[in-house]
Amino acid sequence: DNITGINGTGIATNASNVGYDPAGTGAVSTTVQAKLRDYVSAHDFMTTAQITDSQGGAPTLDMTAAVQAAINTNKSVYFPQGVYLIDSITIPTAARGSTYFGDGFYNYNSITKTVIKARTSSQASVFTLSTGADNITFTLMRIDGNLKAVKCVDGTYGAFLSFVECGIYSGTAYGVYSLQGLMRIERCYMSGTTGVQCHMYSDSAASDSEFNGGTIALVLASGGNRICNIWANSCTSACVSLRPLNTSTVHINTSIVNLYAGEVTGSARPVIDIVGTTGNRVQQVHISNSFIVTAVNATSK
């Protein structure tokens, strides 16, 4: 007689009936199915036609529902190499702590490795974090606003948002917008957004990364930020802006080390713009070991 998942010749036909023995002393045996479900792949939710379309470099099919379904498992999600064409994706609160990872990104080509790409003109974002969707990490992918998404990543909610070895490109207002603090950026490249490449809030840190172009490359709103080994280039308003977030905040205790900032292309604009008021000051800011380039049109450093 057949046993569920095993055919008449005794060969298992379901991964839940195949054992998996991890290597290492003390490792606990499980099933192949359980092992494969440690995380999910976006491909698990896509049709064969969608997967084929994503591999061609210029997708035409809407992959929003499949990607949203993968995110809604509240597990970490793997995006195999390909271009994923999507509308705004919402990261739910229950997904806190998840990592979204791909096969890498290539700065000089928008269809190489893993690319998550905006599909519809004026869509709000590529990814939006829900309230409490904390400790979300993006790594090894290109998030491309395609000059259609207002924000590539909307972190109005979701503290401790992290980006590691990512490219963030071509939003119409913001590449990354964070408003909860504790953001971490490492070895990333942000460019092509027509507005602000990156908006960082309190107690955030960025290292070994480049922010290039737009009106402002890097906005540090409120204080407690740590910036090290950063390039901020080729902007029309300012390369770096330090400011209070609003009339209820001040900006204190920011440290900037090993910054290259310059090449402001707008008429009579500063390279580093420090803006406060009598009641909302920018103070206790430390800038050291930095190279500030005053371009032709810049009025001050």
Side-chain angles (χ1 to χ4, degrees):
D1 293 337
N2 286 353
I3 300 174
T4 301
I6 299 178
N7 65 19
T9 61
I11 299 175
T13 60
N14 190 296
S16 65
N17 297 303
V18 181
Y20 176 80
D21 296 320
T25 302
V28 178
S29 296
T30 183
T31 67
V32 169
Q33 182 184 78
K35 182 63 179 177
L36 291 173
R37 289 181 176 179
D38 282 348
Y39 60 85
V40 301
S41 168
H43 281 188
D44 295 341
F45 301 87
M46 296 169 65
T47 66
T48 300
Q50 287 175 318
I51 294 172
T52 300
D53 192 44
S54 73
Q55 307 301 305
T60 59
L61 298 180
D62 182 0
M63 304 171 194
T64 307
V67 173
Q68 186 68 69
I71 297 292
N72 286 349
T73 65
N74 301 323
K75 290 178 172 286
S76 293
V77 179
Y78 169 48
F79 291 85
Q81 181 170 319
V83 180
Y84 299 80
L85 195 63
I86 60 172
D87 294 326
S88 296
I89 294 294
T90 299
I91 298 174
T93 302
R96 62 172 68 92
S98 295
T99 295
Y100 306 126
F101 61 102
D103 284 325
F105 83 98
Y106 183 53
N107 176 55
Y108 301 104
N109 190 312
S110 62
I111 62 172
T112 299
K113 298 298 183 179
T114 297
V115 181
I116 316 295
K117 193 170 187 177
R119 188 181 78 93
T120 306
S121 294
S122 300
Q123 68 184 66
S125 67
V126 180
F127 291 102
T128 295
L129 280 69
S130 298
T131 302
D134 300 335
N135 290 87
I136 297 296
T137 298
F138 294 92
T139 185
L140 297 172
M141 63 173 60
R142 178 187 184 111
I143 302 174
D144 194 336
N146 197 23
L147 293 179
K148 293 181 176 181
V150 177
K151 300 172 183 175
C152 294
V153 179
D154 185 351
T156 301
Y157 305 101
F160 227 127
L161 173 62
S162 295
F163 298 89
V164 182
E165 296 184 7
C166 282
I168 312 293
Y169 297 84
S170 303
T172 59
Y174 291 93
V176 171
Y177 183 84
S178 174
L179 201 58
Q180 292 298 305
L182 301 171
M183 182 163 66
R184 298 294 183 265
I185 297 172
E186 300 178 32
R187 303 187 302 281
C188 290
Y189 188 84
M190 302 190 189
S191 183
T193 292
T194 54
V196 175
Q197 304 306 325
C198 184
H199 182 282
M200 300 180 68
Y201 187 55
S202 178
D203 298 333
S204 295
S207 64
D208 303 300
S209 297
E210 181 165 349
F211 307 88
N212 181 68
T215 55
I216 304 174
L218 182 61
V219 172
L220 306 179
S222 190
N225 297 298
R226 299 293 180 263
I227 307 301
C228 182
N229 298 337
I230 293 298
W231 289 258
N233 313 307
S234 305
C235 302
T236 59
S237 183
C239 291
V240 180
S241 178
L242 285 73
R243 60 180 73 166
L245 176 66
N246 52 40
T247 57
S248 299
T249 63
V250 295
H251 186 129
I252 61 174
N253 191 23
T254 285
S255 176
I256 299 175
V257 181
N258 295 347
L259 168 72
Y260 174 92
E263 300 146 19
V264 177
T265 58
S267 177
R269 298 300 305 159
V271 176
I272 298 179
D273 196 22
I274 301 177
V275 181
T277 65
T278 301
N280 304 93
R281 298 180 180 179
V282 178
Q283 57 190 10
Q284 298 173 6
V285 174
H286 178 265
I287 302 175
S288 65
N289 295 346
S290 296
F291 193 78
I292 313 301
V293 179
T294 304
V296 174
N297 291 328
T299 57
S300 63
K301 296 182 183 180

